[in-house]
Amino acid sequence: MLLAHLTHSDKPFMGSIASPAAAEAVIDLTAAAIGRPALPGECNLVHLIKATPPLTYWPNPLKCLRAIALKGEASMVSSYMMMGATAPVTVAGALIQGYAEVLAGLALAQLWRPGAPVVMGFLAYPFDMRRMQPNFGDPASQLVQFYAAELGRRLGVPARGDGAVTSAKVDDAQSGAEGGRMLSAALSSGAHFILHAAGWLEQGRTVSREKFRRDAAALAGLRRGRTVEPPAPLERGIETELRDRIELA
């Protein structure tokens, strides 16, 4: 995969988390290929380190997190929650659980190497008990996106967002509506790093070439257009503000 990235593409790519040894090898080979090792305060790669809700980390992600931090590279510490299955069914409950899970990973990275680059991300989707699948594009997920980005600003770390994700099986009106709402929420929330921005279908189990082209064209248009400015920090305490907004929603 690394060889394909380096030889056939000029796009950014993410590091490996298959194992600590694989993570270190990809970091070293990437630095050699571009002729620039990671410098203090900078990084060449970002790695997706996931918690396993509820309130659990598997050994391999933590070992990879340690290896990546010691190398001075970046980790995106994320929690992917299914509301009603692996997390509370409410927006407030999911925010509380995800915040606890992500904070643990961020703290460990700083213990292993103070100042290690990190990105905070947690996302939550309502779980459909009839289909036994998450509902991508649900409005509750958009609320989680807004509040998660605000929590990231409170910590002073970059925040993750999700792009045009959808539960649709084909590139149809459902796909466009759900994906558009989620991408809009990520941009409006001020997310710094957006994953799954193009091509996603059927809860992420398939990739559509047609949707990928359409999403890529839309993203290019957004890039040429006006830059979306992150919202200003909340004036009141975040706990009070979030509680009031959640109750209103």
Side-chain angles (χ1 to χ4, degrees):
M1 187 184 298
L2 175 63
L3 181 62
H5 278 306
L6 293 173
T7 56
H8 299 297
S9 175
D10 59 357
K11 303 295 185 184
F13 56 91
M14 299 180 72
S16 172
I17 55 166
S19 68
E24 292 173 347
V26 169
I27 289 170
D28 292 341
L29 290 169
T30 301
I34 66 176
R36 189 189 73 179
L39 301 174
E42 298 181 4
C43 57
N44 294 327
L45 296 168
V46 64
H47 304 74
L48 181 57
I49 303 294
K50 283 188 176 182
T52 303
L55 303 175
T56 304
Y57 279 89
W58 285 73
N60 184 67
L62 288 182
K63 292 177 181 178
C64 289
L65 177 63
R66 183 176 186 273
I68 295 160
L70 292 176
K71 284 281 188 178
E73 293 287 357
S75 294
M76 182 187 302
V77 183
S78 294
S79 172
Y80 164 44
M81 297 169 286
M82 291 179 284
M83 299 164 66
T86 62
V89 72
T90 64
V91 171
L95 286 166
I96 292 168
Q97 178 181 305
Y99 199 39
E101 291 168 349
V102 170
L103 280 177
L106 298 178
L108 284 171
Q110 301 310 305
L111 287 172
W112 285 321
R113 177 165 178 164
V118 290
V119 179
M120 188 200 83
F122 54 93
L123 52 150
Y125 296 97
F127 192 70
D128 190 325
M129 298 303 290
R130 292 181 298 175
R131 296 183 300 153
M132 301 303 291
Q133 294 174 349
N135 281 332
F136 290 94
D138 190 277
S141 306
Q142 299 161 48
L143 291 175
V144 172
Q145 173 67 70
F146 278 105
Y147 302 145
E150 189 62 52
L151 290 169
R153 281 188 286 276
R154 185 193 190 204
L155 291 176
V157 299
R160 165 191 171 169
D162 263 6
V165 297
T166 176
S167 298
K169 297 181 180 178
V170 294
D171 186 20
D172 57 6
Q174 176 190 352
S175 165
E178 292 176 346
R181 287 197 300 264
M182 289 304 301
L183 179 60
S184 176
L187 291 171
S188 300
S189 72
H192 299 84
F193 194 111
I194 298 178
L195 285 178
H196 315 309
W200 173 293
L201 278 180
E202 200 174 357
Q203 288 91 13
R205 291 179 292 180
T206 60
V207 175
S208 163
R209 290 186 178 182
E210 293 76 15
K211 186 174 185 295
F212 197 102
R213 284 194 290 266
R214 182 173 61 78
D215 290 341
L219 293 167
L222 288 172
R223 182 185 179 196
R224 289 192 296 269
R226 179 172 59 88
T227 301
V228 177
E229 294 293 334
L234 298 177
E235 295 180 359
R236 298 187 292 162
I238 190 164
E239 294 85 355
T240 303
E241 192 78 21
L242 289 179
R243 183 175 62 252
D244 291 349
R245 290 188 184 182
I246 291 168
E247 290 174 354
L248 180 62

